[in-house]
Amino acid sequence: MSLTEARFHDLVDATQQAVEDIFDDSDLDLDLENSAGVLTVRFENGTQLIFSRQEPLRQLWLAARSGGFHFDYDQASERWMCDSSDEQLGEMLVRITLEQSGADLEFEEL
């Protein structure tokens, strides 16, 4: 069963809020901007993460220094899963945040 448009937006909104909360609670010097459904995380060293919703595909996209990643929502596990590697969003964010900022943050809820 595919996601309805409303459910998709609710899931992306909740995910972006959770990401914002985790970064807000960290000791990192960064800037967060959420505008028109796009969440941008700018690290002190100038690198950034950009989360955007792709409504027609019902995907959450992540742009990072290491590349672009597309996530489908897996209703069975209730997690966003990378469509090319089957890595969970939370696992990937741990790795990418460490690579880009040197910080080891927890994204278990994602």
Side-chain angles (χ1 to χ4, degrees), residues 31-94:
D31 292 315
L32 295 168
E33 180 183 343
N34 198 335
S35 177
V38 176
L39 173 63
T40 304
V41 180
R42 288 183 188 85
F43 296 106
E44 185 178 22
N45 62 12
T47 65
Q48 56 188 5
L49 302 176
I50 301 170
F51 298 85
S52 62
R53 63 187 77 212
Q54 300 300 314
E55 186 178 326
L57 301 172
R58 301 290 197 266
Q59 287 186 324
L60 175 62
W61 287 9
L62 170 61
R65 186 171 59 189
S66 57
F69 306 95
H70 304 163
F71 294 85
D72 294 306
Y73 189 75
D74 179 63
Q75 296 190 61
S77 67
E78 298 183 339
R79 301 277 188 216
W80 290 99
M81 306 296 289
C82 183
D83 69 356
S84 62
S85 69
D86 288 330
E87 188 174 9
Q88 289 182 6
L89 175 61
E91 294 170 346
M92 187 176 286
L93 284 174
V94 168

Short mmCIF file of all heavy atoms in Angstrom, two decimals, residues 31-94:
data_model
loop_
_atom_site.label_atom_id
_atom_site.label_comp_id
_atom_site.label_asym_id
_atom_site.label_seq_id
_atom_site.Cartn_x
_atom_site.Cartn_y
_atom_site.Cartn_z
N ASP A 31 23.86 25.98 11.78
CA ASP A 31 22.65 26.73 11.48
C ASP A 31 21.63 25.77 10.88
O ASP A 31 21.97 24.94 10.03
CB ASP A 31 22.94 27.85 10.47
CG ASP A 31 23.81 28.95 11.04
OD1 ASP A 31 23.53 29.38 12.17
OD2 ASP A 31 24.75 29.36 10.35
N LEU A 32 20.38 25.91 11.33
CA LEU A 32 19.27 25.13 10.81
C LEU A 32 18.29 26.06 10.13
O LEU A 32 17.95 27.10 10.67
CB LEU A 32 18.55 24.38 11.93
CG LEU A 32 19.35 23.32 12.67
CD1 LEU A 32 18.60 22.88 13.93
CD2 LEU A 32 19.62 22.13 11.77
N GLU A 33 17.84 25.67 8.95
CA GLU A 33 16.83 26.45 8.25
C GLU A 33 15.81 25.49 7.66
O GLU A 33 16.17 24.53 6.97
CB GLU A 33 17.46 27.28 7.14
CG GLU A 33 16.44 28.10 6.36
CD GLU A 33 17.06 28.87 5.20
OE1 GLU A 33 18.29 29.03 5.17
OE2 GLU A 33 16.30 29.27 4.32
N ASN A 34 14.55 25.72 7.97
CA ASN A 34 13.47 24.91 7.41
C ASN A 34 12.54 25.85 6.68
O ASN A 34 11.86 26.66 7.29
CB ASN A 34 12.74 24.14 8.51
CG ASN A 34 11.94 22.99 7.95
OD1 ASN A 34 11.55 22.99 6.79
ND2 ASN A 34 11.69 22.00 8.78
N SER A 35 12.55 25.75 5.35
CA SER A 35 11.76 26.66 4.53
C SER A 35 11.15 25.90 3.37
O SER A 35 11.86 25.17 2.66
CB SER A 35 12.67 27.78 4.01
OG SER A 35 11.95 28.64 3.16
N ALA A 36 9.85 26.06 3.20
CA ALA A 36 9.12 25.43 2.09
C ALA A 36 9.36 23.93 2.03
O ALA A 36 9.48 23.35 0.95
CB ALA A 36 9.49 26.09 0.77
N GLY A 37 9.45 23.29 3.19
CA GLY A 37 9.60 21.83 3.23
C GLY A 37 11.01 21.33 3.02
O GLY A 37 11.23 20.13 2.90
N VAL A 38 11.98 22.23 2.96
CA VAL A 38 13.39 21.86 2.80
C VAL A 38 14.12 22.22 4.08
O VAL A 38 14.10 23.37 4.51
CB VAL A 38 14.03 22.58 1.59
CG1 VAL A 38 15.51 22.24 1.49
CG2 VAL A 38 13.30 22.22 0.30
N LEU A 39 14.76 21.23 4.68
CA LEU A 39 15.55 21.45 5.89
C LEU A 39 17.02 21.45 5.51
O LEU A 39 17.52 20.51 4.91
CB LEU A 39 15.29 20.33 6.92
CG LEU A 39 16.18 20.34 8.16
CD1 LEU A 39 15.97 21.62 8.97
CD2 LEU A 39 15.92 19.11 9.01
N THR A 40 17.71 22.55 5.86
CA THR A 40 19.13 22.68 5.58
C THR A 40 19.88 22.77 6.90
O THR A 40 19.53 23.57 7.77
CB THR A 40 19.42 23.93 4.73
OG1 THR A 40 18.64 23.86 3.53
CG2 THR A 40 20.90 24.03 4.38
N VAL A 41 20.91 21.93 7.04
CA VAL A 41 21.78 21.93 8.21
C VAL A 41 23.14 22.39 7.72
O VAL A 41 23.76 21.72 6.89
CB VAL A 41 21.89 20.51 8.84
CG1 VAL A 41 22.80 20.53 10.05
CG2 VAL A 41 20.52 19.95 9.17
N ARG A 42 23.61 23.53 8.22
CA ARG A 42 24.92 24.07 7.83
C ARG A 42 25.87 23.93 9.01
O ARG A 42 25.66 24.53 10.06
CB ARG A 42 24.79 25.54 7.44
CG ARG A 42 24.10 25.75 6.13
CD ARG A 42 24.05 27.24 5.72
NE ARG A 42 23.23 27.43 4.56
CZ ARG A 42 21.90 27.58 4.60
NH1 ARG A 42 21.26 27.56 5.75
NH2 ARG A 42 21.23 27.74 3.48
N PHE A 43 26.94 23.17 8.78
CA PHE A 43 27.94 22.95 9.81
C PHE A 43 28.94 24.10 9.83
O PHE A 43 29.09 24.84 8.85
CB PHE A 43 28.66 21.62 9.60
CG PHE A 43 27.76 20.42 9.71
CD1 PHE A 43 27.36 19.73 8.58
CD2 PHE A 43 27.29 20.00 10.95
CE1 PHE A 43 26.53 18.62 8.68
CE2 PHE A 43 26.47 18.90 11.07
CZ PHE A 43 26.07 18.21 9.93
N GLU A 44 29.67 24.22 10.92
CA GLU A 44 30.65 25.29 11.11
C GLU A 44 31.71 25.30 10.01
O GLU A 44 32.20 26.35 9.61
CB GLU A 44 31.30 25.12 12.49
CG GLU A 44 32.24 26.22 12.87
CD GLU A 44 32.81 26.02 14.27
OE1 GLU A 44 32.83 24.89 14.78
OE2 GLU A 44 33.23 27.03 14.84
N ASN A 45 32.04 24.12 9.49
CA ASN A 45 33.09 24.03 8.46
C ASN A 45 32.57 24.34 7.05
O ASN A 45 33.31 24.19 6.08
CB ASN A 45 33.74 22.65 8.49
CG ASN A 45 32.77 21.53 8.19
OD1 ASN A 45 31.65 21.74 7.75
ND2 ASN A 45 33.20 20.30 8.45
N GLY A 46 31.30 24.73 6.93
CA GLY A 46 30.74 25.11 5.64
C GLY A 46 30.01 24.00 4.90
O GLY A 46 29.33 24.27 3.91
N THR A 47 30.17 22.77 5.34
CA THR A 47 29.43 21.68 4.69
C THR A 47 27.98 21.71 5.16
O THR A 47 27.65 22.32 6.17
CB THR A 47 30.06 20.30 4.98
OG1 THR A 47 29.93 20.01 6.37
CG2 THR A 47 31.51 20.25 4.54
N GLN A 48 27.13 21.05 4.40
CA GLN A 48 25.73 21.05 4.78
C GLN A 48 25.03 19.75 4.41
O GLN A 48 25.52 18.98 3.59
CB GLN A 48 25.01 22.26 4.17
CG GLN A 48 25.10 22.39 2.68
CD GLN A 48 24.53 23.72 2.18
OE1 GLN A 48 24.14 24.58 2.96
NE2 GLN A 48 24.47 23.89 0.88
N LEU A 49 23.89 19.56 5.04
CA LEU A 49 22.96 18.49 4.72
C LEU A 49 21.66 19.17 4.29
O LEU A 49 21.23 20.12 4.93
CB LEU A 49 22.66 17.61 5.94
CG LEU A 49 23.83 16.92 6.62
CD1 LEU A 49 23.34 16.17 7.85
CD2 LEU A 49 24.49 15.96 5.65
N ILE A 50 21.07 18.66 3.22
CA ILE A 50 19.81 19.23 2.74
C ILE A 50 18.80 18.09 2.61
O ILE A 50 19.03 17.12 1.88
CB ILE A 50 19.99 19.94 1.39
CG1 ILE A 50 21.02 21.06 1.53
CG2 ILE A 50 18.64 20.48 0.89
CD1 ILE A 50 21.44 21.68 0.21
N PHE A 51 17.70 18.23 3.34
CA PHE A 51 16.62 17.25 3.30
C PHE A 51 15.46 17.87 2.52
O PHE A 51 15.00 18.96 2.86
CB PHE A 51 16.10 16.95 4.72
CG PHE A 51 17.13 16.35 5.62
CD1 PHE A 51 18.01 17.15 6.33
CD2 PHE A 51 17.21 14.97 5.78
CE1 PHE A 51 18.95 16.59 7.18
CE2 PHE A 51 18.15 14.42 6.61
CZ PHE A 51 19.03 15.22 7.31
N SER A 52 15.00 17.17 1.49
CA SER A 52 13.88 17.69 0.72
C SER A 52 12.88 16.58 0.43
O SER A 52 13.24 15.42 0.33
CB SER A 52 14.36 18.33 -0.59
OG SER A 52 15.01 17.38 -1.40
N ARG A 53 11.64 16.98 0.32
CA ARG A 53 10.58 16.01 0.02
C ARG A 53 10.34 15.99 -1.48
O ARG A 53 10.32 17.03 -2.12
CB ARG A 53 9.32 16.33 0.80
CG ARG A 53 8.66 17.63 0.48
CD ARG A 53 7.53 17.97 1.39
NE ARG A 53 8.07 18.44 2.66
CZ ARG A 53 7.48 18.26 3.85
NH1 ARG A 53 6.32 17.68 3.94
NH2 ARG A 53 8.05 18.69 4.94
N GLN A 54 10.19 14.80 -2.00
CA GLN A 54 9.88 14.61 -3.41
C GLN A 54 8.48 13.99 -3.47
O GLN A 54 8.32 12.77 -3.50
CB GLN A 54 10.93 13.74 -4.08
CG GLN A 54 12.33 14.32 -4.03
CD GLN A 54 12.41 15.68 -4.70
OE1 GLN A 54 11.90 15.87 -5.78
NE2 GLN A 54 13.06 16.64 -4.03
N GLU A 55 7.50 14.86 -3.46
CA GLU A 55 6.11 14.42 -3.33
C GLU A 55 5.66 13.45 -4.41
O GLU A 55 5.06 12.42 -4.08
CB GLU A 55 5.19 15.64 -3.30
CG GLU A 55 3.75 15.29 -3.02
CD GLU A 55 2.87 16.52 -2.95
OE1 GLU A 55 3.34 17.57 -2.49
OE2 GLU A 55 1.72 16.41 -3.37
N PRO A 56 5.93 13.71 -5.70
CA PRO A 56 5.44 12.77 -6.71
C PRO A 56 5.97 11.35 -6.53
O PRO A 56 5.29 10.38 -6.85
CB PRO A 56 5.94 13.36 -8.04
CG PRO A 56 6.23 14.80 -7.74
CD PRO A 56 6.62 14.85 -6.29
N LEU A 57 7.20 11.24 -5.99
CA LEU A 57 7.82 9.92 -5.79
C LEU A 57 7.58 9.38 -4.39
O LEU A 57 7.94 8.24 -4.10
CB LEU A 57 9.33 10.01 -6.04
CG LEU A 57 9.74 10.48 -7.42
CD1 LEU A 57 11.24 10.72 -7.48
CD2 LEU A 57 9.30 9.49 -8.47
N ARG A 58 7.03 10.23 -3.50
CA ARG A 58 6.83 9.89 -2.08
C ARG A 58 8.16 9.48 -1.45
O ARG A 58 8.27 8.50 -0.73
CB ARG A 58 5.80 8.77 -1.89
CG ARG A 58 4.41 9.05 -2.43
CD ARG A 58 3.70 10.11 -1.62
NE ARG A 58 2.27 10.14 -1.85
CZ ARG A 58 1.65 10.93 -2.73
NH1 ARG A 58 2.35 11.75 -3.47
NH2 ARG A 58 0.34 10.90 -2.86
N GLN A 59 9.20 10.29 -1.76
CA GLN A 59 10.54 10.03 -1.23
C GLN A 59 11.04 11.23 -0.45
O GLN A 59 10.66 12.37 -0.72
CB GLN A 59 11.53 9.73 -2.36
CG GLN A 59 11.35 8.38 -3.00
CD GLN A 59 12.45 8.09 -4.01
OE1 GLN A 59 12.93 8.97 -4.72
NE2 GLN A 59 12.83 6.82 -4.10
N LEU A 60 11.93 10.94 0.48
CA LEU A 60 12.70 11.95 1.20
C LEU A 60 14.10 11.89 0.62
O LEU A 60 14.70 10.82 0.55
CB LEU A 60 12.72 11.62 2.70
CG LEU A 60 13.58 12.51 3.59
CD1 LEU A 60 13.08 13.95 3.55
CD2 LEU A 60 13.57 11.97 5.02
N TRP A 61 14.60 13.03 0.16
CA TRP A 61 15.94 13.07 -0.43
C TRP A 61 16.89 13.77 0.53
O TRP A 61 16.52 14.72 1.22
CB TRP A 61 15.93 13.81 -1.76
CG TRP A 61 15.30 13.03 -2.88
CD1 TRP A 61 14.60 11.85 -2.78
CD2 TRP A 61 15.28 13.39 -4.26
NE1 TRP A 61 14.17 11.46 -4.02
CE2 TRP A 61 14.57 12.37 -4.95
CE3 TRP A 61 15.80 14.44 -4.98
CZ2 TRP A 61 14.37 12.41 -6.32
CZ3 TRP A 61 15.60 14.48 -6.34
CH2 TRP A 61 14.89 13.48 -7.01
N LEU A 62 18.12 13.29 0.55
CA LEU A 62 19.18 13.86 1.37
C LEU A 62 20.38 14.15 0.48
O LEU A 62 20.90 13.26 -0.19
CB LEU A 62 19.58 12.87 2.48
CG LEU A 62 20.84 13.20 3.28
CD1 LEU A 62 20.70 14.53 4.02
CD2 LEU A 62 21.17 12.07 4.25
N ALA A 63 20.81 15.41 0.50
CA ALA A 63 22.03 15.79 -0.19
C ALA A 63 23.10 16.03 0.88
O ALA A 63 22.86 16.74 1.86
CB ALA A 63 21.82 17.06 -1.01
N ALA A 64 24.26 15.42 0.68
CA ALA A 64 25.38 15.53 1.61
C ALA A 64 26.66 15.65 0.80
O ALA A 64 26.66 15.48 -0.42
CB ALA A 64 25.44 14.29 2.52
N ARG A 65 27.75 15.92 1.48
CA ARG A 65 29.04 16.03 0.79
C ARG A 65 29.36 14.74 0.03
O ARG A 65 29.96 14.78 -1.04
CB ARG A 65 30.14 16.36 1.80
CG ARG A 65 31.48 16.64 1.16
CD ARG A 65 32.48 17.17 2.15
NE ARG A 65 32.69 16.23 3.24
CZ ARG A 65 33.38 16.49 4.33
NH1 ARG A 65 33.91 17.68 4.50
NH2 ARG A 65 33.53 15.59 5.27
N SER A 66 28.96 13.61 0.59
CA SER A 66 29.28 12.31 -0.03
C SER A 66 28.33 11.91 -1.14
O SER A 66 28.52 10.87 -1.78
CB SER A 66 29.32 11.22 1.04
OG SER A 66 28.08 11.17 1.72
N GLY A 67 27.26 12.70 -1.39
CA GLY A 67 26.37 12.39 -2.49
C GLY A 67 24.91 12.66 -2.17
O GLY A 67 24.57 13.21 -1.13
N GLY A 68 24.07 12.23 -3.09
CA GLY A 68 22.64 12.37 -2.93
C GLY A 68 22.02 11.00 -2.66
O GLY A 68 22.42 10.01 -3.27
N PHE A 69 21.05 10.97 -1.75
CA PHE A 69 20.43 9.71 -1.34
C PHE A 69 18.92 9.87 -1.35
O PHE A 69 18.39 10.91 -0.94
CB PHE A 69 20.93 9.31 0.05
CG PHE A 69 22.42 9.27 0.15
CD1 PHE A 69 23.13 10.36 0.61
CD2 PHE A 69 23.11 8.14 -0.25
CE1 PHE A 69 24.51 10.34 0.70
CE2 PHE A 69 24.49 8.11 -0.18
CZ PHE A 69 25.20 9.20 0.29
N HIS A 70 18.23 8.82 -1.79
CA HIS A 70 16.77 8.83 -1.87
C HIS A 70 16.22 7.77 -0.92
O HIS A 70 16.68 6.62 -0.94
CB HIS A 70 16.32 8.53 -3.30
CG HIS A 70 16.89 9.47 -4.31
ND1 HIS A 70 16.90 9.19 -5.65
CD2 HIS A 70 17.49 10.69 -4.18
CE1 HIS A 70 17.46 10.18 -6.31
NE2 HIS A 70 17.83 11.11 -5.43
N PHE A 71 15.22 8.17 -0.13
CA PHE A 71 14.66 7.28 0.88
C PHE A 71 13.18 7.04 0.64
O PHE A 71 12.42 7.98 0.38
CB PHE A 71 14.84 7.89 2.28
CG PHE A 71 16.28 7.98 2.70
CD1 PHE A 71 17.05 9.06 2.31
CD2 PHE A 71 16.86 6.97 3.44
CE1 PHE A 71 18.38 9.15 2.67
CE2 PHE A 71 18.20 7.04 3.80
CZ PHE A 71 18.96 8.13 3.42
N ASP A 72 12.80 5.77 0.74
CA ASP A 72 11.40 5.35 0.71
C ASP A 72 10.99 4.99 2.12
O ASP A 72 11.80 4.45 2.89
CB ASP A 72 11.22 4.12 -0.19
CG ASP A 72 11.50 4.41 -1.65
OD1 ASP A 72 10.89 5.35 -2.19
OD2 ASP A 72 12.34 3.70 -2.24
N TYR A 73 9.75 5.25 2.46
CA TYR A 73 9.27 4.90 3.80
C TYR A 73 8.84 3.44 3.80
O TYR A 73 8.01 3.02 3.00
CB TYR A 73 8.10 5.80 4.21
CG TYR A 73 7.73 5.60 5.66
CD1 TYR A 73 8.54 6.13 6.67
CD2 TYR A 73 6.61 4.87 6.02
CE1 TYR A 73 8.22 5.94 8.01
CE2 TYR A 73 6.29 4.69 7.36
CZ TYR A 73 7.09 5.22 8.34
OH TYR A 73 6.79 5.03 9.66
N ASP A 74 9.44 2.67 4.70
CA ASP A 74 9.10 1.26 4.86
C ASP A 74 8.08 1.16 5.99
O ASP A 74 8.42 1.38 7.16
CB ASP A 74 10.35 0.44 5.18
CG ASP A 74 10.02 -1.02 5.38
OD1 ASP A 74 9.54 -1.66 4.42
OD2 ASP A 74 10.22 -1.52 6.51
N GLN A 75 6.84 0.85 5.63
CA GLN A 75 5.78 0.84 6.63
C GLN A 75 5.94 -0.30 7.63
O GLN A 75 5.54 -0.16 8.79
CB GLN A 75 4.42 0.78 5.94
CG GLN A 75 4.19 2.05 5.12
CD GLN A 75 2.79 2.21 4.61
OE1 GLN A 75 1.86 2.27 5.39
NE2 GLN A 75 2.65 2.27 3.29
N ALA A 76 6.56 -1.40 7.22
CA ALA A 76 6.74 -2.53 8.14
C ALA A 76 7.68 -2.16 9.30
O ALA A 76 7.40 -2.45 10.46
CB ALA A 76 7.27 -3.75 7.39
N SER A 77 8.79 -1.51 8.97
CA SER A 77 9.77 -1.14 10.01
C SER A 77 9.53 0.27 10.54
O SER A 77 10.17 0.68 11.51
CB SER A 77 11.18 -1.24 9.46
OG SER A 77 11.41 -0.26 8.46
N GLU A 78 8.65 1.02 9.86
CA GLU A 78 8.38 2.42 10.20
C GLU A 78 9.65 3.25 10.18
O GLU A 78 9.91 4.07 11.05
CB GLU A 78 7.65 2.54 11.54
CG GLU A 78 6.30 1.86 11.54
CD GLU A 78 5.53 2.02 12.84
OE1 GLU A 78 6.14 2.31 13.89
OE2 GLU A 78 4.31 1.88 12.78
N ARG A 79 10.45 3.04 9.13
CA ARG A 79 11.72 3.75 8.95
C ARG A 79 11.87 4.17 7.49
O ARG A 79 11.36 3.54 6.58
CB ARG A 79 12.91 2.84 9.28
CG ARG A 79 12.92 2.29 10.68
CD ARG A 79 13.49 3.28 11.64
NE ARG A 79 13.66 2.66 12.94
CZ ARG A 79 13.48 3.30 14.08
NH1 ARG A 79 13.14 4.55 14.08
NH2 ARG A 79 13.64 2.70 15.23
N TRP A 80 12.62 5.25 7.28
CA TRP A 80 13.01 5.66 5.94
C TRP A 80 14.23 4.83 5.55
O TRP A 80 15.21 4.78 6.28
CB TRP A 80 13.36 7.14 5.91
CG TRP A 80 12.17 8.04 6.08
CD1 TRP A 80 11.76 8.65 7.23
CD2 TRP A 80 11.24 8.43 5.08
NE1 TRP A 80 10.64 9.39 6.99
CE2 TRP A 80 10.29 9.28 5.68
CE3 TRP A 80 11.10 8.14 3.72
CZ2 TRP A 80 9.23 9.84 4.97
CZ3 TRP A 80 10.05 8.71 3.02
CH2 TRP A 80 9.12 9.54 3.63
N MET A 81 14.17 4.19 4.38
CA MET A 81 15.24 3.31 3.91
C MET A 81 15.79 3.83 2.59
O MET A 81 15.03 4.18 1.68
CB MET A 81 14.70 1.89 3.69
CG MET A 81 13.99 1.27 4.90
SD MET A 81 15.05 1.01 6.32
CE MET A 81 16.05 -0.33 5.72
N CYS A 82 17.11 3.87 2.47
CA CYS A 82 17.76 4.31 1.24
C CYS A 82 17.41 3.34 0.12
O CYS A 82 17.54 2.12 0.28
CB CYS A 82 19.27 4.38 1.43
SG CYS A 82 20.15 4.99 -0.02
N ASP A 83 16.97 3.87 -1.02
CA ASP A 83 16.53 3.00 -2.10
C ASP A 83 17.67 2.31 -2.84
O ASP A 83 17.46 1.36 -3.57
CB ASP A 83 15.61 3.74 -3.08
CG ASP A 83 16.31 4.80 -3.91
OD1 ASP A 83 17.52 5.06 -3.69
OD2 ASP A 83 15.64 5.39 -4.78
N SER A 84 18.91 2.75 -2.60
CA SER A 84 20.03 2.11 -3.29
C SER A 84 20.86 1.19 -2.38
O SER A 84 21.52 0.29 -2.87
CB SER A 84 20.95 3.16 -3.91
OG SER A 84 21.49 4.00 -2.91
N SER A 85 20.79 1.42 -1.06
CA SER A 85 21.63 0.62 -0.16
C SER A 85 20.85 -0.09 0.95
O SER A 85 21.43 -0.88 1.67
CB SER A 85 22.68 1.52 0.50
OG SER A 85 22.06 2.42 1.41
N ASP A 86 19.57 0.21 1.09
CA ASP A 86 18.73 -0.31 2.17
C ASP A 86 19.21 0.11 3.56
O ASP A 86 18.84 -0.48 4.56
CB ASP A 86 18.60 -1.85 2.11
CG ASP A 86 17.71 -2.29 0.97
OD1 ASP A 86 16.79 -1.53 0.59
OD2 ASP A 86 17.92 -3.40 0.45
N GLU A 87 20.05 1.15 3.62
CA GLU A 87 20.50 1.69 4.91
C GLU A 87 19.39 2.57 5.48
O GLU A 87 18.76 3.34 4.75
CB GLU A 87 21.78 2.49 4.70
CG GLU A 87 22.44 2.94 5.98
CD GLU A 87 23.78 3.62 5.73
OE1 GLU A 87 24.14 3.92 4.58
OE2 GLU A 87 24.48 3.87 6.73
N GLN A 88 19.17 2.47 6.77
CA GLN A 88 18.18 3.32 7.41
C GLN A 88 18.69 4.75 7.47
O GLN A 88 19.89 5.00 7.60
CB GLN A 88 17.90 2.85 8.84
CG GLN A 88 17.14 1.57 8.94
CD GLN A 88 16.87 1.20 10.40
OE1 GLN A 88 17.16 1.94 11.32
NE2 GLN A 88 16.31 0.02 10.59
N LEU A 89 17.77 5.69 7.39
CA LEU A 89 18.13 7.11 7.44
C LEU A 89 18.95 7.42 8.69
O LEU A 89 19.97 8.10 8.61
CB LEU A 89 16.86 7.98 7.40
CG LEU A 89 17.08 9.49 7.56
CD1 LEU A 89 17.95 10.04 6.45
CD2 LEU A 89 15.73 10.20 7.62
N GLY A 90 18.51 6.94 9.84
CA GLY A 90 19.23 7.23 11.08
C GLY A 90 20.66 6.73 11.07
O GLY A 90 21.58 7.42 11.51
N GLU A 91 20.86 5.52 10.53
CA GLU A 91 22.22 4.96 10.45
C GLU A 91 23.09 5.81 9.53
O GLU A 91 24.26 6.08 9.82
CB GLU A 91 22.16 3.53 9.92
CG GLU A 91 21.48 2.55 10.85
CD GLU A 91 21.23 1.20 10.19
OE1 GLU A 91 21.34 1.08 8.95
OE2 GLU A 91 20.90 0.25 10.92
N MET A 92 22.52 6.23 8.40
CA MET A 92 23.28 7.03 7.45
C MET A 92 23.62 8.40 8.06
O MET A 92 24.73 8.90 7.87
CB MET A 92 22.50 7.21 6.15
CG MET A 92 23.32 7.90 5.08
SD MET A 92 22.47 8.02 3.50
CE MET A 92 22.55 6.33 2.93
N LEU A 93 22.69 8.98 8.80
CA LEU A 93 22.96 10.28 9.41
C LEU A 93 24.07 10.22 10.45
O LEU A 93 24.85 11.17 10.58
CB LEU A 93 21.69 10.86 10.02
CG LEU A 93 20.68 11.43 9.02
CD1 LEU A 93 19.41 11.85 9.73
CD2 LEU A 93 21.29 12.60 8.26
N VAL A 94 24.16 9.13 11.18
CA VAL A 94 25.26 8.95 12.14
C VAL A 94 26.58 9.02 11.37
O VAL A 94 27.50 9.76 11.74
CB VAL A 94 25.14 7.62 12.91
CG1 VAL A 94 26.42 7.32 13.67
CG2 VAL A 94 23.95 7.64 13.84
#
